[in-house]
Amino acid sequence: MNQLKRLYDNNVAWAEKIKKNKPNFFSDLSKQQSPEYLWIGCSDSRVVSEQLVGLQPGELFVHRNIANVVVPTDLNCLSVIQFAVEVLKVKHIIVCGHYGCGGVKASMQSIEHGLIDNWLCHIKSVHQKNEDELLAIDDETKRLDRLCELNVIEQVNNISHTTIVQRAWRNHKELSIHGCIYTLETGILKDLNVRFSEINDTNDIYQLRKDKKEIYKPNLTIMETDYEGR
Ligand code: CO
């Protein structure tokens, strides 16, 4: 017996239900996708990206990983951002965290969990950066929830620093990065009111205002002479 029978059956029922309302839905969608939003969320099975914002297939480009972390060495995530911004031309990048995140919780513990601890180091850095605020919160659950929020804010910042986003802004593309957080107990999404929409929203040190080719002009004459002289 196919161990995934329930899933295949569900799939047929789902496709039929959609086709009943919109007979051309899948054939139209197969021709192209033009989502307006890139969603970067936690892999947690309870945080169902499209469903919780009421969007249909084709409306949300999605990347999920443990604790919705974005770091500039993660080629997987950066490739998603580049494709979304430069090819799909999404106008909004949404980082969505959630309260009670297991990844964030694990990052607060002094327990070795294995390989994942290397990933969680990124969240430990957020903790360290905000130590005064976090350690002033006595209630452990509230402290975890605040770190979940701060982690989202950090990732919104990180995205705004990427060459991809900096280039888009330099070229006057309409692109905003937003942070929000989901409550598992209520199903409600909260806007964290962190929003970057232009290069001036980022700290000066991260602003990449010029292309290298605009300022880097190697002296070819000297280089050629040097080469011939050898
Ligand atoms: Co999580």
Side-chain angles (χ1 to χ4, degrees):
M1 190 186 133
N2 188 335
Q3 294 171 319
L4 302 181
K5 188 177 183 308
R6 185 164 74 95
L7 275 61
Y8 286 113
D9 290 347
N10 287 350
N11 169 249
V12 171
W14 170 78
E16 278 174 359
K17 192 177 160 195
I18 291 179
K19 276 191 283 186
K20 208 173 161 187
N21 292 330
K22 291 183 182 173
N24 296 328
F25 183 83
F26 290 110
S27 54
D28 288 348
L29 199 60
S30 68
K31 288 170 195 141
Q32 65 162 52
Q33 61 166 338
S34 54
E36 210 174 300
Y37 313 95
L38 163 60
W39 174 280
I40 299 179
C42 183
S43 297
D44 192 302
S45 62
R46 300 164 294 181
V47 190
V48 282
S49 39
E50 285 96 341
Q51 278 168 273
L52 72 89
V53 283
L55 293 181
Q56 297 300 313
E59 292 186 301
L60 199 64
F61 200 63
V62 176
H63 178 79
R64 288 166 70 176
N65 62 37
I66 290 183
N68 40 271
V69 169
V70 180
V71 283
T73 48
D74 179 2
L75 285 181
N76 182 356
C77 185
L78 289 190
S79 302
V80 169
I81 296 174
Q82 187 191 3
F83 187 77
V85 171
E86 295 180 5
V87 181
L88 297 175
K89 304 193 187 313
V90 299
K91 295 203 169 50
H92 303 277
I93 301 176
I94 302 159
V95 179
C96 177
H98 67 101
Y99 291 120
C101 180
V104 176
K105 192 175 181 181
S107 79
M108 295 173 88
Q109 299 167 339
S110 304
I111 302 167
E112 193 190 324
H113 303 91
L115 180 139
I116 196 170
D117 288 317
N118 299 291
W119 183 249
L120 299 179
C121 267
H122 298 301
I123 309 171
K124 286 181 186 284
S125 301
V126 181
H127 189 288
Q128 191 181 15
K129 227 188 227 184
N130 299 280
E131 210 161 60
D132 291 346
E133 179 187 346
L134 289 165
L135 296 183
I137 305 172
D138 289 334
D139 185 274
E140 261 181 48
T141 309
K142 284 186 182 150
R143 192 158 69 236
L144 164 63
D145 285 348
R146 182 57 184 150
L147 183 55
C148 291
E149 291 179 349
L150 291 168
N151 182 46
V152 170
I153 294 165
E154 182 80 3
Q155 309 317 323
V156 171
N157 274 275
N158 288 350
I159 296 169
S160 76
H161 304 157
T162 62
T163 52
I164 305 152
V165 170
Q166 289 283 319
R167 189 183 305 136
W169 282 336
R170 197 167 61 227
N171 294 329
H172 311 289
K173 297 271 163 43
E174 188 188 335
L175 179 65
S176 297
I177 310 155
H178 315 256
C180 59
I181 192 152
Y182 179 71
T183 304
L184 294 169
E185 289 85 353
T186 61
I188 296 297
L189 203 56
K190 177 180 159 190
D191 186 353
L192 286 173
N193 289 316
V194 51
R195 193 165 288 101
F196 291 161
S197 302
E198 56 156 319
I199 207 159
N200 291 321
D201 290 342
T202 54
N203 184 286
D204 283 2
I205 194 69
Y206 293 106
Q207 294 180 9
L208 305 174
R209 294 188 167 276
K210 290 181 176 174
D211 284 314
K212 194 177 178 187
K213 62 176 183 284
E214 288 174 35
I215 52 170
Y216 178 66
K217 289 178 183 154
N219 190 332
L220 293 173
T221 317
I222 291 171
M223 285 167 74
E224 278 160 19
T225 309
D226 189 41
Y227 176 73
E228 282 167 9
R230 269 181 210 162

